[in-house]
Amino acid sequence: MNEVQRHNGILSLLEEKQTINVNHIIEQFHVSPATARRDIAKLDELGKLKKVRNGAERIEGKKRTWSPLNIDSTEHYEEKERIAVQAAQLCQPGDSVVINCGSTAFLLGQQLCGQDVQIVTNYFPLASYLINEDHDDVIIIGGQYNKAQHIFLNPAPDSLGSYAGNWMFTSGKGLTETGLYKADMLTAVAEQQMLEQIDKLVVVVDSSKVGQRTGMLFCSAEKIDIVITGKEADPRVVAALEAQGTQVILV
């Protein structure tokens, strides 16, 4: 794991916790105390966190959000766009495609818009975009609207039993040889209901997420058919996933 990936991981930890200490970094990223302190100092200089005694704390502030109007300002945009282009190439005319929430998911929806594929989603920004662009076949999974995540959630355990898809594309906060991790439990549980209804599960994550273990385990690596990520992804994790039978595509 390089320095950039480690710094992204530290900031992801701070999204979950108000504060972290040097030992958290040492244990999570297998680095020396000197490296952990140096990482904190550098991120403090960049204004990404606040350095405190023996650790760091999150800088409170309004989280930058993206929308269909400013999608190109999202973090790692160019890499996510390459991932979306590659993911779209997996789909064939007539396929049914489940797309979950996030900026990479939205970019994938843009790539598939207008093609002969059925798109199933509970992600409101994507559904709105597809409808506005007159995509022919859109299925919106219903339920209660969750404003924070911009998705529809249905608490009934079998609410998605009638839906099925050839492909399911999903992302997360972290991906290791153990599996895919998601930070938001409500989102994860809603998506888990679809896992038994699809033929192929494709994980689309930018390279900064590879090697990170953040949040809850969404699914084990053995359930992931394909991973599409950037060329900067941690090679150790890539090799471990491939050894378990997961196809990894680097873009």
Side-chain angles (χ1 to χ4, degrees):
M1 180 181 296
N2 61 35
E3 183 182 81
V4 172
Q5 292 170 329
R6 197 168 62 248
H7 286 182
N8 285 327
I10 291 169
L11 295 175
S12 293
L13 281 177
L14 283 172
E15 286 184 15
E16 292 185 80
K17 308 172 184 291
Q18 178 65 38
T19 63
I20 59 174
N21 58 41
V22 170
N23 285 335
H24 282 135
I25 298 174
I26 294 170
E27 294 172 2
Q28 183 79 18
F29 305 106
H30 309 291
V31 295
S32 68
T35 297
R37 292 189 176 92
R38 189 163 55 248
D39 285 342
I40 290 173
K42 183 170 289 189
L43 289 168
D44 178 72
E45 290 176 5
L46 294 171
K48 300 292 185 67
L49 54 73
K50 182 180 179 181
K51 182 180 177 181
V52 298
R53 181 178 177 83
N54 200 39
E57 65 181 30
R58 185 174 62 213
I59 295 177
E60 297 295 344
K62 188 172 182 180
K63 186 178 179 181
R64 184 176 72 172
T65 59
W66 65 270
S67 75
L69 297 177
N70 68 357
I71 182 65
D72 58 348
S73 70
T74 188
E75 292 184 334
H76 310 293
Y77 168 74
E78 292 183 354
E79 184 178 312
K80 290 178 179 180
E81 187 175 43
R82 294 196 302 271
I83 291 169
V85 169
Q86 181 66 51
Q89 292 175 5
L90 296 174
C91 304
Q92 300 298 314
D95 279 353
S96 179
V97 180
V98 180
I99 303 178
N100 295 316
C101 66
S103 54
T104 306
F106 184 84
L107 289 166
L108 172 57
Q110 283 187 317
Q111 291 292 324
L112 292 175
C113 185
Q115 297 188 31
D116 180 22
V117 294
Q118 180 184 78
I119 298 178
V120 182
T121 188
N122 66 345
Y123 191 37
F124 183 69
L126 176 57
S128 296
Y129 173 84
L130 294 170
I131 292 169
N132 288 334
E133 294 296 319
D134 294 325
H135 185 74
D136 284 340
D137 198 347
V138 182
I139 294 179
I140 302 173
I141 301 173
Q144 182 176 352
Y145 182 63
N146 181 290
K147 183 178 179 180
Q149 298 296 327
H150 307 292
I151 61 174
F152 293 98
L153 295 172
N154 194 321
D158 59 349
S159 61
L160 302 180
S162 60
Y163 297 100
N166 302 105
W167 301 94
M168 177 172 169
F169 295 91
T170 192
S171 189
K173 295 295 289 185
L175 176 69
T176 71
E177 60 270 29
T178 303
L180 179 67
Y181 291 81
K182 290 181 180 284
D184 187 273
M185 185 175 293
L186 285 176
T187 303
V189 171
E191 293 180 14
Q192 281 176 332
Q193 296 180 45
M194 285 295 297
L195 287 179
E196 302 304 320
Q197 307 298 120
I198 48 97
D199 297 328
K200 297 283 186 178
L201 176 63
V202 183
V203 171
V204 288
V205 291
D206 65 76
S207 56
S208 71
K209 308 294 196 313
V210 178
Q212 307 302 321
R213 183 165 47 233
T214 303
M216 66 170 284
L217 181 64
F218 170 73
C219 69
S220 62
E222 64 184 16
K223 292 188 176 183
I224 302 172
D225 295 289
I226 301 173
V227 169
I228 306 177
T229 187
K231 293 179 180 178
E232 299 300 316
D234 187 334
R236 181 190 63 81
V237 177
V238 170
L241 288 169
E242 290 177 329
Q244 296 181 72
T246 299
Q247 180 184 357
V248 181
I249 302 173
L250 302 177
V251 298

